[in-house]
Amino acid sequence: MNTRRIICTLIGLWIGASLFMAAVAASSFRNVNEMMLNPAAEMAPYFKTIGAEKLRMIARHQAGEFNRMMFEGWGLVQILLSLVLFGMLLFGTKQGKWILGLSLFMVLLTAAMHLAATPAIVGYGRTLDFVPPDKEVDLRKRVQTFHTAYSTLEGIKLLCGVTLLLIFFREVPRKPGWQPASEKAEAA
């Protein structure tokens, strides 16, 4: 298997995993809301004992902890993927500075996401888990700002990955002396 195929596979898997992580994060809180709207019959005693709002806080805390764990791990995986991609492009291909620069940018982007945005989201998120929705409005805005920054950086990273994929898909390696069928027909 040649390096170009490995690079395309790596980028494709990375993009797919990024989209999967976004879907998982969105669905975990949606599942809490769904559980609260349509609780299973077995949940009725807990609603009476604990109360619906406290149960919602506990469930949202658990969903938040799950998301935090997933994104902390995912950040490390993304840094590793970006370093592997950069290393493969640097040592396994004869790509120019533009492609190497784009790949290096993805390394820096994933590092910034993991080292700056993720810890802020995790820390502030834990602080807000058991605070009623109408309290700590400024802190909630700050968390939303970090979420927006993370999502924007994620979008930029995906755009860089798609750009690299398009470049590598466009480059078709040809054997010496090979001609497309259309050129052979014109020559005859």
Side-chain angles (χ1 to χ4, degrees):
M1 184 177 241
N2 68 25
T3 306
R4 187 172 81 62
R5 287 182 184 162
I6 294 171
I7 289 170
C8 288
T9 301
L10 178 67
I11 296 170
L13 290 172
W14 187 3
I15 290 170
S18 293
L19 296 173
F20 175 76
M21 287 297 294
V24 167
S27 70
S28 63
F29 287 111
R30 191 171 46 245
N31 289 343
V32 169
N33 293 336
E34 187 65 32
M35 178 193 76
M36 297 304 290
L37 291 173
N38 302 312
E42 297 82 12
M43 294 290 293
Y46 299 105
F47 275 91
K48 289 179 183 174
T49 305
I50 300 172
E53 273 313 303
K54 286 185 181 176
L55 195 57
R56 179 187 303 277
M57 276 191 207
I58 292 168
R60 286 188 62 81
H61 169 72
Q62 183 57 36
E65 283 299 311
F66 174 75
N67 282 353
R68 289 187 274 271
M69 178 200 62
M70 293 292 288
F71 277 93
E72 285 175 337
W74 177 235
L76 293 173
V77 169
Q78 287 198 96
I79 291 171
L80 178 65
L81 288 170
S82 66
L83 288 170
V84 167
L85 177 65
F86 180 71
M88 289 180 74
L89 288 170
L90 182 63
F91 299 115
T93 68
K94 295 178 182 177
Q95 295 300 323
K97 292 178 184 175
W98 191 86
I99 290 177
L100 288 172
L102 187 59
S103 178
L104 181 60
F105 178 69
M106 291 175 75
V107 171
L108 297 174
L109 201 59
T110 57
M113 289 167 66
H114 181 68
L115 299 173
T118 300
I121 292 169
V122 167
Y124 291 140
R126 277 196 182 113
T127 302
L128 292 172
D129 276 352
F130 295 101
V131 176
D134 58 333
K135 304 290 185 205
E136 296 288 344
V137 176
D138 290 338
L139 186 55
R140 289 186 192 286
K141 287 180 183 175
R142 191 173 310 145
V143 170
Q144 187 57 45
T145 300
F146 278 105
H147 271 285
T148 302
Y150 186 93
S151 297
T152 301
L153 294 175
E154 185 71 17
I156 292 168
K157 181 207 70 181
L158 288 172
L159 186 61
C160 291
V162 168
T163 301
L164 286 175
L165 263 183
L166 291 173
I167 289 168
F168 280 99
F169 274 131
R170 197 187 68 201
E171 288 181 3
V172 179
R174 296 191 172 127
K175 295 178 184 175
W178 180 86
Q179 273 187 316
S182 59
E183 290 179 17
K184 286 181 185 177
E186 289 175 9

